């Protein structure tokens, strides 16, 4: 490559999912992660790249150990600092891109000399947490070793602004979006709450490169990031989080951009996707064109894997009906493992350079054995750990070389499982924007009804648990329902065992009817005992999360209050009765408290309340209180300022004061959200944004000419 070509070419070494610190306590594999990262950074220095791009999960933990942090800092200093000046020119405002204590890119710091800058987003393993919402990458940024960009402080309102870099005539717009929980990110994209900014001038001359760290494949309907959600003006996407190495650029004809999935640099799970050889790549970007130069990593511990179905192997099928066949099965599997070890060693030797020296690393080997025997036969398999320990000194994973499993249940069990599910037509209608927990529970219970607990109030309890984060809602519902059933049975004198089931069913139906008519509602707020004086929330968690904090009955409430107040003697002196009596002054006080609560709830609209029986422990709740927090409206919080787009439909006017959402409003919002999702890739993401406090005169001048719009 000529020097003239180099002057206009931005060369970027790309890597993802380094997971430094993974399994660092293992005596054999403890140093694998940082040694591989050292090889990657050595390649950057050896090939004299302009920058390094990391797409998340540099560390395996969001609180890396001292050793992991030390090794990363040492490796970055050894390979990124130097006398060579960085030829990249920063055109955007760094304070908009990095949002840290330092408002400049590290290679423009006057106190250090950075030859190869590193740009990185965070993944799901090294995400921010704790006080200050800091990540491990923040420590590397404040020390001048890494440029941490692509932050997502608000996961339900994401703004993505590119880092604008230039070398010669090549202009690079570097976008980044750090990891967000997949289901939430899906909803944010669907609701149109993700805004991309583009350079305001010469849009066709910028090479748009983006790094993400999300699921690429759909594990469920919403637990991934569809490529169609990303804007079509992108030229190349670096996809992190997926560990399988797909290093060759893959073109997406629907969106018009390429995707490179480098995969992890170390195997963190013994799965087929990890058994592919590990690579990094060097991107050479000139103008609007790019080339990819994959480089295989040579110091990665080799990993080989094989799937075996015993009944499909001719040698094993012949001994399936033979008594005491464990020895022959074990001998066969040992031969398979030895072949895989030889294959892994040959693969290691093939990539090592002659005269490079260095000790050969013991490989990772995994065989998955499906040992379901044919009809009338049996496969007697050895203990997996005992089998694996045979290869001590030959493999690195001496405890889990083999994994035995059986075939899933047959057609009979599948038919039964299908009968317990709602109709497929109902499941097809479910959508994340209009799903209601009560409706979902009702449909599932239609196929497998409850015998003792009322079904409709059960759905309400689950709704409180999901929508209102009431951790004790289901437990409270079960306790109250069981107490009511027991009291009803105790009152029914002369009921034999045969008639008991009918009595329970009749009482359950009565409870369901009262709940359906709105006369009886579950308690919205759980009663908690007073927090003990010696309770330490920092170490023991929130008092409300402790199972012992829940008041499960009125008597327990009274006794707990008396014991916690430390005035049991005074109460006994005033009342003249101990706590063992159920109808003393304490009972009267409890009744007074109930009456006062009912009186308070009765004020306002004066809703009518009804009791089923005189002694029934049914909690009466005001309808007004239920309306304020009901219907799950707290899951979807309307923004004060909606994202502006160029669109033919008019945006709804924000309300001047908080107003309760009606069902029609929510349905209209959901329909609007679905319409937005269908047009996501055709939206114009250009936005006009005034820049505040540019860092220097050069940045101010560039932003006047090339504004992030």
């Amino acid at each position: 490559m000529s020097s003239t070509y180099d002057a206009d070419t931005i060369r970027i070494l790309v890597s993802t999912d380094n997971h430094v610190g993974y399994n660092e306590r293992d005596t054999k594999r403890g140093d694998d992660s940082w040694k591989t990262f050292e090889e990657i950074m050595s390649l950057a220095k050896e090939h004299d790249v302009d920058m390094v791009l990391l797409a998340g999960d540099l560390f395996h933990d969001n609180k890396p150990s001292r050793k992991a942090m030390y090794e990363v800092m040492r490796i970055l200093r050894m390979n990124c600092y130097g006398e060579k000046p960085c030829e990249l020119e920063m055109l955007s405002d760094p304070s908009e891109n990095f949002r840290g204590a330092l408002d400049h890119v590290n290679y423009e710091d006057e106190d250090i000399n950075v030859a190869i800058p590193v740009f990185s987003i965070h993944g799901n393993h090294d995400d921010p947490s704790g006080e200050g919402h800091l990540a491990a990458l923040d420590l590397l940024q404040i020390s001048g070793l890494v440029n941490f960009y692509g932050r997502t402080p608000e996961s339900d309102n994401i703004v993505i602004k590119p880092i604008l870099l230039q070398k010669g005539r090549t202009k690079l717009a570097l976008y980044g979006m750090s990891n967000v929980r997949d289901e939430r990110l899906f909803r944010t994209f669907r609701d149109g709450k993700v805004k991309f900014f583009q350079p305001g001038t010469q849009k066709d001359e910028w090479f748009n490169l983006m790094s993400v760290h999300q699921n690429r494949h759909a594990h469920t309907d919403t637990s991934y990031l569809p490529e169609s959600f990303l804007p079509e003006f992108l030229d190349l996407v670096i996809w992190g989080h997926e560990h399988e190495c797909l290093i060759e650029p893959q073109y997406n004809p629907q969106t018009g951009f390429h995707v490179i999935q480098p995969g992890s640099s170390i195997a963190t799970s013994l799965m087929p996707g990890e058994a592919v050889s590990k690579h990094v790549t060097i991107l050479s970007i000139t103008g609007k064109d790019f080339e990819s130069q994959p480089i295989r990593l040579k110091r990665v511990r080799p990993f080989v894997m094989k799937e075996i179905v015993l009944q499909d192997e001719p040698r094993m099928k012949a001994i399936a009906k033979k008594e005491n066949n464990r020895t022959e099965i074990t001998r066969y599997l040992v031969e398979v493992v030895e072949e895989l070890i030889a294959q892994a060693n040959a693969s290691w030797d093939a990539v090592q350079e002659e005269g490079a020296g260095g000790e050969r690393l013991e490989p990772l080997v995994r065989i998955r054995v499906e040992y379901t025997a044919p009809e009338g036969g049996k496969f007697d398999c050895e203990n997996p750990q005992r089998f694996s320990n045979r290869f001590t000194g030959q493999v690195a994973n001496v405890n889990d070389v083999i994994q035995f499993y059986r075939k899933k249940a047959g057609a009979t069990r599948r038919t039964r499982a299908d009968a317990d599910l709602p109709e497929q037509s109902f499941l097809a209608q479910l959508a994340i924007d209009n799903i209601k927990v009560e409706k979902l529970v009702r449909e599932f219970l239609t196929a497998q009804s409850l015998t003792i607990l009322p079904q409709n109030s059960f759905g309400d309890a689950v709704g409180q648990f999901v929508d209102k984060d009431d951790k004790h809602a289901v437990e409270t519902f079960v306790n109250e329902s069981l107490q009511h059933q027991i009291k009803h049975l105790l009152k029914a004198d002369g009921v034999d065992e045969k008639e008991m089931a009918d009595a329970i069913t009749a009482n359950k139906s009565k409870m369901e009817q009262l709940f359906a008519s709105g006369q009886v509602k579950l308690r919205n707020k759980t009663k908690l005992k007073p927090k003990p004086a010696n309770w330490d929330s920092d170490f023991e968690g929130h008092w409300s999360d402790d199972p012992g904090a829940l008041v499960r009955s009125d008597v327990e409430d009274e006794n707990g209050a008396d014991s916690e107040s430390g005035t049991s003697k005074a109460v006994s002196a005033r009342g003249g009765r101990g706590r063992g009596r159920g109808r003393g002054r304490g009972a009267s006080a409890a009744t007074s408290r109930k009456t006062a609560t009912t009186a308070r709830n009765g004020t306002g609209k004066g809703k009518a309340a009804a009791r089923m029986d005189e002694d029934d422990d049914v909690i009466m709740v005001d309808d007004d209180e239920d309306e304020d927090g009901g219907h799950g409206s707290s899951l979807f919080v309307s923004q004060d300022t909606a994202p502006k787009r160029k669109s033919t439909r008019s945006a709804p006017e924000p309300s001047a004061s908080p107003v309760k959402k009606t069902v029609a409003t929510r349905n209209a919002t959901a329909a609007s959200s679905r319409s937005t999702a269908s047009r996501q890739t055709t939206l114009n993401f250009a936005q006009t944004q005034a820049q505040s406090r540019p860092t220097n005169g050069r940045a101010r001048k560039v932003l006047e000419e090339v504004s992030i719009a």
Side-chain angles (χ1 to χ4, degrees):
M1 191 177 292
S2 64
S3 59
T4 303
Y5 190 66
D6 283 340
D8 295 326
T9 301
I10 300 178
R11 305 180 70 240
I12 307 172
L13 186 139
V14 178
S15 176
T16 69
D17 295 272
N18 308 112
H19 287 276
V20 176
Y22 170 74
N23 210 9
E24 60 185 348
R25 296 182 182 274
D26 189 281
T27 55
K28 292 186 177 182
R29 305 166 60 187
D31 296 335
D32 286 2
S33 58
W34 68 260
K35 286 184 177 180
T36 303
F37 182 65
E38 186 172 31
E39 179 185 0
I40 293 171
M41 296 309 300
S42 299
L43 289 172
K45 186 176 182 179
E46 176 186 344
H47 290 267
D48 194 24
V49 298
D50 293 304
M51 58 177 281
V52 174
L53 179 61
L54 304 178
D57 281 355
L58 171 59
F59 294 99
H60 186 67
D61 298 308
N62 63 356
K63 296 179 181 179
S65 66
R66 295 179 184 178
K67 180 180 180 181
M69 181 63 74
Y70 167 79
E71 293 294 350
V72 168
M73 297 181 75
R74 178 186 65 82
I75 292 168
L76 292 175
R77 282 184 61 90
M78 295 276 295
N79 294 282
C80 296
Y81 286 5
E83 297 296 330
K84 180 182 79 74
C86 181
E87 300 181 19
L88 298 175
E89 183 180 5
M90 183 96 173
L91 302 182
S92 56
D93 185 356
S95 63
E96 291 282 346
N97 300 127
F98 303 124
R99 303 178 187 176
L102 301 179
D103 58 353
H104 56 265
V105 69
N106 67 342
Y107 62 82
E108 291 184 352
D109 195 318
E110 297 178 355
D111 299 324
I112 56 178
N113 194 357
V114 177
I116 304 176
V118 177
F119 294 84
S120 178
I121 62 175
H122 76 71
N124 59 307
H125 280 262
D126 53 2
D127 56 324
S129 64
E131 185 177 357
H133 203 60
L134 298 174
L137 291 177
D138 284 298
L139 302 181
L140 298 180
Q141 181 179 26
I142 199 65
S143 61
L145 295 171
V146 164
N147 299 294
F148 178 24
Y149 79 111
R151 303 168 192 259
T152 52
E154 298 181 52
S155 56
D156 56 352
N157 186 23
I158 300 175
V159 177
I160 302 177
K161 298 181 180 180
I163 298 175
L164 302 181
L165 302 172
Q166 183 171 357
K167 180 182 178 183
R169 65 181 181 87
T170 299
K171 299 178 179 65
L172 173 65
L174 179 61
Y175 295 83
M177 182 176 64
S178 294
N179 178 264
V180 179
R181 190 167 63 87
D182 289 289
E183 291 82 2
R184 177 168 291 183
L185 183 64
F186 189 99
R187 186 172 70 238
T188 305
F189 265 101
R190 183 208 60 197
D191 294 344
K193 298 292 186 180
V194 181
K195 294 189 293 185
F196 286 82
F197 286 68
Q198 285 185 264
T201 60
Q202 302 174 330
K203 290 184 180 180
D204 296 336
E205 297 182 10
W206 291 87
F207 186 90
N208 299 295
L209 172 64
M210 184 174 185
S211 59
V212 298
H213 191 95
Q214 304 291 151
N215 282 334
R216 189 179 177 190
H217 305 290
H219 300 284
T220 64
D221 290 342
T222 60
S223 64
Y224 75 114
L225 174 62
E227 294 180 17
S228 59
F229 278 11
L230 299 177
E232 296 180 355
F233 65 77
L234 295 175
D235 298 297
L236 177 62
V237 176
I238 305 299
W239 209 289
H241 188 63
E242 298 286 355
H243 281 207
E244 183 179 4
C245 182
L246 303 174
I247 201 64
E248 295 295 336
Q250 299 175 331
Y251 180 71
N252 187 329
Q254 180 183 358
T255 59
F257 53 69
H258 289 80
V259 177
I260 293 180
Q261 183 179 303
S264 64
S265 59
I266 178 177
T268 60
S269 61
L270 303 182
M271 301 297 290
E274 298 273 22
V276 183
S277 58
K278 305 295 186 180
H279 291 76
V280 295
T281 189
I282 294 180
L283 294 176
S284 298
I285 302 173
T286 306
K288 291 287 289 183
D289 300 323
F290 78 94
E291 295 178 359
S292 178
Q293 177 190 351
I295 301 176
R296 181 172 179 177
L297 299 176
K298 300 178 180 179
R299 301 299 300 176
V300 178
R301 188 180 296 274
F303 170 41
V304 289
M305 184 174 180
K306 186 174 182 178
E307 294 267 356
I308 298 175
V309 180
L310 287 182
Q311 65 175 342
D312 292 344
E313 301 292 329
R315 180 175 164 186
M316 294 293 99
K317 193 173 184 179
I319 65 171
K321 298 184 180 181
K322 181 180 178 182
E323 294 289 340
N324 300 323
N325 54 14
R326 175 181 294 189
T327 302
E328 297 181 58
I329 295 174
T330 302
R331 185 183 302 114
Y332 170 74
L333 295 177
V334 167
E335 294 175 1
V336 173
V337 173
E338 290 176 346
E339 292 176 2
L340 293 177
I341 293 174
Q343 176 185 336
N345 291 334
S347 174
W348 169 271
D349 296 337
V351 299
Q352 303 305 313
E353 298 178 357
E354 295 184 4
E359 182 182 359
R360 175 194 288 169
L361 297 180
E362 296 174 358
L364 299 169
V365 176
R366 164 61 64 87
I367 57 173
R368 296 186 74 243
V369 181
E370 200 283 300
Y371 67 106
T372 302
E375 186 176 356
K378 179 183 178 182
F379 289 126
D380 187 9
C381 300
E382 189 176 6
N383 177 273
Q385 186 165 356
R386 187 183 302 116
F387 178 89
S388 302
N389 292 155
R390 296 170 181 266
F391 305 98
T392 301
Q394 302 180 64
V395 299
N397 55 318
V398 294
N399 293 319
D400 54 1
V401 171
I402 196 167
Q403 180 184 22
F404 292 106
Y405 70 99
R406 289 183 181 272
K407 245 191 269 188
K408 291 184 178 180
T412 303
R413 181 171 298 179
R414 286 198 302 271
T415 303
R416 182 178 179 183
D418 292 341
D420 292 338
L421 294 177
E423 295 294 334
Q424 291 296 326
S425 58
F426 170 76
L427 293 176
Q429 295 172 0
L430 291 179
I432 192 171
D433 51 359
N434 63 3
I435 187 172
K436 242 182 123 51
V437 175
E438 294 88 342
K439 184 178 180 181
L440 181 62
V441 172
R442 184 173 64 252
E443 290 293 336
F444 271 87
L445 292 180
T446 300
Q448 40 185 6
S449 60
L450 299 176
T451 303
I452 300 176
L453 304 177
Q455 294 184 190
N456 49 5
S457 50
F458 177 56
D460 185 72
V462 176
Q464 291 186 32
F465 174 79
V466 175
D467 299 338
K468 302 178 184 178
D469 197 25
D470 187 350
K471 299 179 178 60
H472 304 291
V474 177
E475 181 182 3
T476 303
F477 158 74
V478 173
N479 290 337
E480 291 180 353
S481 300
L482 291 179
Q483 288 176 13
H484 184 269
Q485 286 282 18
I486 291 172
K487 289 185 178 182
H488 177 74
L489 292 176
L490 291 176
K491 291 178 183 178
D493 297 331
V495 177
D496 56 16
E497 295 182 0
K498 296 181 180 179
E499 298 175 347
M500 186 175 296
D502 296 335
I504 292 176
T505 303
N507 187 52
K508 179 177 78 75
S509 301
K510 181 180 178 182
M511 295 171 65
E512 290 176 348
Q513 291 173 4
L514 289 173
F515 184 85
S517 63
Q519 300 180 32
V520 178
K521 292 184 180 295
L522 296 178
R523 68 173 80 194
N524 278 345
K525 295 185 179 179
T526 304
K527 284 187 177 182
L528 298 178
K529 300 176 184 176
K531 184 173 71 173
N534 59 348
W535 184 270
D536 192 336
S537 299
D538 293 336
F539 292 95
E540 301 176 88
H542 294 289
W543 170 243
S544 60
D545 295 339
D546 190 85
L550 178 64
V551 176
R552 294 175 172 82
S553 67
D554 293 330
V555 176
E556 186 178 357
D557 184 16
E558 174 194 350
N559 293 342
D562 290 343
S563 60
E564 292 294 337
S565 63
T567 59
S568 58
K569 292 183 179 180
V571 173
S572 178
R574 289 192 305 268
R577 298 181 184 269
R579 286 184 295 170
R581 299 292 187 118
R583 296 294 182 184
R585 184 180 298 271
S588 300
T591 305
S592 301
R593 287 195 298 272
K594 288 184 180 179
T595 305
T597 304
T598 306
R600 286 195 302 270
N601 291 341
T603 59
K605 295 185 179 181
K607 299 293 183 180
R611 285 187 175 272
M612 290 184 294
D613 288 299
E614 182 179 354
D615 295 330
D616 291 345
D617 291 340
V618 179
I619 306 301
M620 301 300 173
V621 179
D622 182 8
D623 285 347
D624 295 340
E625 183 180 353
D626 183 55
E627 289 177 2
D628 291 339
H631 305 299
S633 60
S634 59
L635 290 178
F636 303 97
V637 180
S638 60
Q639 301 294 326
D640 292 336
T641 55
K644 298 180 180 179
R645 296 185 186 81
K646 294 182 180 179
S647 176
T648 56
R649 59 186 178 88
S650 59
E653 296 182 0
S655 58
S657 61
V659 179
K660 299 175 184 176
K661 291 188 177 180
T662 63
V663 177
T665 304
R666 289 194 303 276
N667 292 340
T669 305
S672 175
S673 301
R674 289 192 296 272
S675 176
T676 303
S678 63
R679 299 193 298 272
Q680 185 70 38
T681 56
T682 60
L683 290 177
N684 184 359
F685 290 87
Q687 301 284 340
T688 303
Q689 181 77 10
Q691 296 294 332
S692 60
R693 61 183 191 89
T695 57
N696 49 44
R698 178 174 59 80
R700 184 181 297 107
K701 179 179 179 181
V702 170
L703 289 175
E704 290 174 358
E705 298 174 356
V706 186
S707 62
I708 300 180

